[in-house]
Amino acid sequence: MAFYDGAVLKCVHAALQLWTFLWTWFYLWGWKPLLSKVKGQKATLSRCKEDRKSLQKLPCHLGLLVAEQKISYGDVCSLMVWSMALGISYISVYDWHGTLKKNAVLVKSHLDRLQEEIFGKDKSKYTFQLHQSSSKKHSSNEGAQVHILLLSPSDGRLDLVRTAGDYCHAVANRILKPEDISTDLVNSMLHSTKGFPDPDVLVRFGQIESLLGYLPWQIRLTEILSMPTHWGVGYESFLDVLHQFAGTHQRFGK
């Protein structure tokens, strides 16, 4: 019986892997590239400015969750540069293994190259500051128009645990009272996103139906949208997701 159950589970697992592979392949090499050819040219600064006018609203803070094992630095950074061109001021990028955060130098080099390609002589108007945590900044540009936060699991649930510990310590030392606890207080005590507003929308890339520990406190009012993969993602597909967000009516519990 145990052998039979194990064989069934293996078959189910293999079927899910096959479905994921076929769906991703079809997304990358099937109808999406064909649609891209029909719709037109690649993203340019002038085109992004025009597309911005068609969006009813734009997120102040865009979250990108890469729920895939392998990461394409070029594709992730393309998403960030398109966001800059569209006028998004805060961007956070999270992956389960913290790969992007560990390789911030590589991320910055890709961003610089893509900015040259898309912005050209206007690159100086779209400065960015790369943050790895509230206390560590990889690029020193205090007057930047765009702030990018690289996140890992230590910035999610673990940061909330650290904040709870700090609060208990403050109460024990009579710096705070138990009744002082509030949403604003917790926001001010969190380390990973200090200075960043809560995400307005989170775009998850991959087939995993999980947030993998992405900022559990900060996303209580966040709109969550999904895309099959970030590999080979096109500007049109990304713009479609932003149009989805622009069309949502957030009631905030009312």
Side-chain angles (χ1 to χ4, degrees), residues 183-184 187 198 215-222:
T183 301
D184 290 337
N187 286 338
D198 290 346
L215 303 180
W217 175 266
Q218 293 90 332
I219 59 170
R220 58 196 183 280
L221 298 176
T222 301

Side-chain angles (χ1 to χ4, degrees), residues 52-72:
R52 167 68 184 91
K53 297 175 184 177
S54 68
L55 293 166
Q56 296 177 10
K57 62 179 178 179
L58 197 67
C60 176
H61 179 179
L62 167 69
L64 303 174
L65 167 59
V66 183
E68 298 176 274
Q69 287 292 329
K70 294 183 179 180
I71 295 175
S72 168

Side-chain angles (χ1 to χ4, degrees), residues 167-183:
Y167 172 73
C168 292
H169 182 75
V171 170
N173 286 278
R174 298 184 178 180
I175 299 170
L176 293 172
K177 298 176 182 178
E179 58 267 25
D180 289 337
I181 188 71
S182 67
T183 301

Side-chain angles (χ1 to χ4, degrees), residues 87-104:
I88 297 173
S89 300
Y90 294 90
I91 305 164
S92 61
V93 190
Y94 177 97
D95 70 278
W96 177 244
H97 299 290
T99 303
L100 294 164
K101 186 176 180 180
K102 293 172 188 174
N103 296 282

